[in-house]
């Protein structure tokens, strides 16, 4: 019998550099299977998935052979994009203030092209504000491809 590849795909067709995705395959009537480049131990299975962490754009090729020794192949390519932005830390000088007291919100980020903190007035990478009521500050870090990471912190006004 000739083997048949029923599925072969990457969960994410593009992943940020250093991030993982999942590669899945399924075969019928196969005696042997292999994936090039090798990424994990593989065997004939109806459905199997495993983690991969490609470092460059990579085309994976699944080859299956049945009893008739006729190879069948299918390929999938995973592209590499920019690393995802990550907010590492949000620092607020106080989580509880009296109406009109100054609040300073700052953050540390990585892999970000831009950072926005709202509401407030920008001040050397932070924002300063004098809230009159309880206020939630939103920190958004973005990379060059538009991916974002967001954190919020609420300052209570007494």
């Amino acid at each position: 019998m000739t083997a048949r590849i029923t599925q072969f795909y990457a969960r994410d067709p593009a992943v940020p550099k250093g991030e993982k995705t999942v590669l899945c395959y399924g075969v019928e009537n196969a005696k042997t299977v292999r994936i090039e480049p090798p990424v994990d131990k593989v065997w004939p299975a109806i459905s199997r998935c495993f983690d991969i962490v490609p470092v460059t754009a990579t085309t994976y090729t699944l080859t299956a052979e049945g009893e008739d020794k006729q190879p069948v192949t299918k390929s999938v390519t995973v592209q590499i994009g920019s690393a995802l932005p990550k907010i590492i830390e949000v620092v607020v000088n106080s989580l509880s203030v009296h109406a009109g007291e100054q609040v300073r919100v700052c953050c540390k980020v990585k892999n970000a092209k831009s950072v926005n903190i709202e509401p407030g007035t920008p001040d050397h990478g932070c924002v300063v504000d004098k809230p009159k009521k309880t206020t939630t500050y939103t920190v958004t870090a973005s990379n060059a491809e538009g991916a974002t990471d967001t954190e919020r912190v609420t300052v209570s006004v007494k």
Side-chain angles (χ1 to χ4, degrees):
M1 285 191 122
T2 300
R4 187 167 84 90
I5 297 172
T6 58
Q7 59 181 331
F8 187 50
Y9 64 93
R11 181 189 62 203
D12 307 294
V15 294
K17 188 174 185 176
E19 297 289 320
K20 69 180 175 182
T21 189
V22 175
L23 189 64
C24 298
Y25 70 92
V27 295
E28 292 177 348
N29 304 322
K31 292 294 183 190
T32 63
V33 295
R34 69 180 181 278
I35 294 178
E36 296 293 333
V39 287
D40 199 6
K41 193 170 191 165
V42 294
W43 54 85
I46 293 170
S47 180
R48 179 161 182 266
C49 298
F50 51 88
D51 290 341
I52 58 171
V53 184
V55 293
T56 61
T58 305
T59 298
Y60 299 94
T61 301
L62 173 66
T63 302
E65 290 183 10
E67 288 179 12
D68 63 3
K69 306 272 189 211
Q70 293 300 310
V72 292
T73 63
K74 189 168 183 186
S75 296
V76 63
T77 300
V78 178
Q79 299 292 336
I80 301 299
S82 297
L84 293 174
K86 179 72 178 151
I87 297 171
I88 298 167
E89 180 179 39
V90 176
V91 179
V92 182
N93 65 325
S94 181
L95 291 174
S96 179
V97 296
H98 292 285
E101 281 187 321
Q102 182 172 295
V103 172
R104 184 175 182 87
V105 181
C106 301
C107 66
K108 290 182 184 175
V109 301
K110 69 176 185 177
N111 305 325
K113 181 180 178 186
S114 65
V115 177
N116 188 38
I117 306 172
E118 293 183 343
T121 304
D123 182 36
H124 296 81
C126 302
V127 298
V128 293
D129 193 25
K130 294 183 178 179
K132 294 183 180 3
K133 61 181 181 166
T134 296
T135 303
T136 298
Y137 296 88
T138 303
V139 179
T140 304
S142 304
N143 71 4
E145 295 174 344
T148 61
D149 187 20
T150 303
E151 295 282 334
R152 290 178 178 79
V153 63
T154 300
V155 174
S156 298
V157 175
K158 305 174 199 172

